Amino acid sequence: MATDPNRVIVFDTTLRDGEQSPGCSMNLHEKLEIAHALKELGVDVIEAGFPIASPGDFEAVQEIARRVEGPIICGLARCNTADIDRAAAAVKDAARPRVHVFLATSAIHREFKLKMSREEIIRRAVEGVKRARDQIEDVEFSPEDASRTELDFLAEVVEKAIEAGATTLNIPDTVGYAVPSHYAAIIRHLKQHVRGIEKCVLSVHCHNDLGLAVANTLAALHEGARQVECTINGIGERAGNTALEEVVMAMRTRQDYYGLNTGINTKLLFPMSRKLSHVTGMTVQRNKAIVGQNAFAHESGIHQDGMLKERSTYEIMRPEDVGISRTELVLGKHSGRHALRQRISDLGYHLTDEQLNKVFDSFKQLADRKKEVYDADIEALAESQMQVGQSNLWSLAGFTSTAGTGSQTSAAVALKHRDGRILRDAASGNGPIDALFAAIDRVTGTELKVVDYRVRAVTQDIDAQGEAYVEVEHNGKRLSARAVSVDVVEASALAYLEVINRVAARQTRDRLKPTDDIPHEVVPPVT
Ligand code: KIV
Ligand code: ZN
């Protein structure tokens, strides 16, 4: 793919390594929406999932392979026949399919997880890569826990994987153990000692347990790696993966040092981050690099003074280069459809005419209730419109809730079921939200453990829209959702209902699953 030696391939694993982290699971509709947005963003490879994990995962990878044109579509597989065949079947309809085969190589994994000798690991790696190559031209191989693998053995496995036909070799820092100079030394060693490595793309995949994922990735790029594996907002197992927006902007901002480039349209980084955050319900920390709310806010007087005199005194990147508009265009109730359409498109959203009409109606209602409508308001309207269209089990038809000092708090709700029935019930509780959630539980017949609940203003004005975030635990898994309304109690009800819908969708998916978990230690022989 990359004929320019300085072109870095961006491999996005938001839908695989990212999606498997707590609170980040997505349904098919959401995965497709994210995959289309990743394509718009300009990623080169989308790792769409782990097809053997469940019928739902297989379907998602297959649908993305069929419908998202442009990037390579990749499916993950352990080094065994069933996984590899399933991954190959899921991606085969893509214009450019890839199978990513992995097998752990470190002494700890060999001894305690796989119970395999070095020879056995090499044999299986070779057989796995060959089996994938028999079906798909483009095969990536990952020696899992590479950064804790003995260097001589790592080099041997990698060389054998290349001989077997791997076209990309990925070196994962699976547990986030590496530090930049150590990780760079591994890449350097492999480049010097592995025969045939120049025929392959050398890839890096870092986890952020020590907060070093981006630093390690950059160190590896400096040594000649030319594929970065990353996720939007850095979501992923435990402390997450390399954040796409950070590593891409580091390459761009320090072009003078690295001399590298990517195919990413950086102006879509902020909208992409917001979209993922909205879809998963996982908020981005305020001070997160590149896409956090404070990433371009200058608070100190000295900094503000410097900025006014010359921006480059305190700004190394322009917010508009990552899709954050510097000047907020305030819209009001007299603003027309054209101005709204323009603003939505500037914010990075591509809506159909029907979606735009609906956003326009909600915008007019909002402008009646609120004097000025800001970008964040419009984003919230656009995002909630993009979620409509999924056939949710429950929707809010109406509610009342009463609260006051010394009085009993109660709430009543009317909910619409997917089959068209409207069901009503009421409950009391410790405050209006508790009462509301209890009334919703009574109607839907669910009883969820709320583990986190937050409300924040979308903008800073007094009549701002409120955004509610609800996280629940269900069968040991965490699910979350967000919703926005001018009324924070309504936003809370909407967010809670969204979580209930996610639980229902997950239950349907789980009923179809052959097993609950994918045991990493079970590695059936490659036949
Ligand atoms: O972290 C890891 O080792 C992985 C592999 C499957 C590449 O995610
Ligand atoms: Zn990983």
Side-chain angles (χ1 to χ4, degrees), residues 28 286 366 371 378 402:
L28 176 62
R286 242 186 137 92
L366 183 65
K371 260 202 328 271
I378 293 171
T402 55

Side-chain angles (χ1 to χ4, degrees), residues 163-180:
E163 279 170 23
T167 43
T168 297
L169 269 166
N170 182 42
I171 306 301
D173 180 26
T174 305
V175 290
Y177 175 74
V179 295

Side-chain angles (χ1 to χ4, degrees), residues 207-385:
H207 281 268
N208 206 29
D209 300 66
L210 293 173
L212 292 171
V214 173
N216 288 338
T217 301
L218 290 169
L221 287 174
H222 200 46
E223 290 297 331
R226 284 296 175 267
Q227 173 175 287
V228 288
E229 302 204 350
C230 44
T231 60
I232 302 298
N233 297 339
I235 66 167
E237 286 280 2
R238 306 176 310 277
N241 289 53
T242 300
L244 181 149
E245 58 281 359
E246 293 179 21
V247 76
V248 165
M249 285 313 286
M251 277 188 258
R252 182 183 153 135
T253 308
R254 297 308 311 273
Q255 235 275 342
D256 62 313
Y257 183 73
Y258 292 106
L260 300 173
N261 51 74
T262 69
I264 296 294
N265 176 357
T266 62
K267 287 193 163 56
L268 295 180
L269 286 173
F270 183 67
M272 181 75 231
S273 159
R274 295 301 298 257
K275 186 188 288 292
L276 182 74
S277 167
H278 195 265
V279 162
T280 57
M282 186 133 155
T283 28
V284 171
Q285 83 197 49
R286 242 186 137 92
N287 63 336
K288 160 97 172 59
I290 317 295
V291 292
Q293 214 177 324
N294 289 357
F296 293 92
H298 299 271
E299 200 68 25
S300 112
I302 296 172
H303 289 204
Q304 286 177 350
D305 177 58
M307 283 285 293
L308 289 171
K309 288 179 175 142
E310 166 56 44
R311 272 163 61 155
S312 59
T313 50
Y314 286 101
E315 205 166 75
I316 58 164
M317 296 167 275
R318 298 181 316 160
E320 48 271 43
D321 289 342
V322 301
I324 299 175
S325 62
R326 191 179 285 278
T327 49
E328 277 221 3
L329 184 69
V330 180
L331 299 179
K333 65 176 169 187
H334 301 298
S335 305
R337 199 179 294 263
H338 181 72
L340 182 71
R341 178 192 288 276
Q342 186 58 49
R343 198 76 207 125
I344 286 176
S345 140
D346 291 348
L347 289 168
Y349 294 91
H350 303 286
L351 300 187
T352 61
D353 285 346
E354 196 190 336
Q355 284 172 325
L356 186 81
N357 287 342
K358 291 196 174 134
V359 173
F360 188 66
D361 292 344
S362 318
F363 162 72
K364 284 287 168 188
Q365 282 169 21
L366 183 65
D368 269 343
R369 295 163 81 171
K370 191 172 183 291
K371 260 202 328 271
E372 288 165 332
V373 181
Y374 294 97
D375 285 352
D377 291 313
I378 293 171
E379 276 172 18
L381 295 180
E383 281 171 1
S384 54
Q385 199 41 243

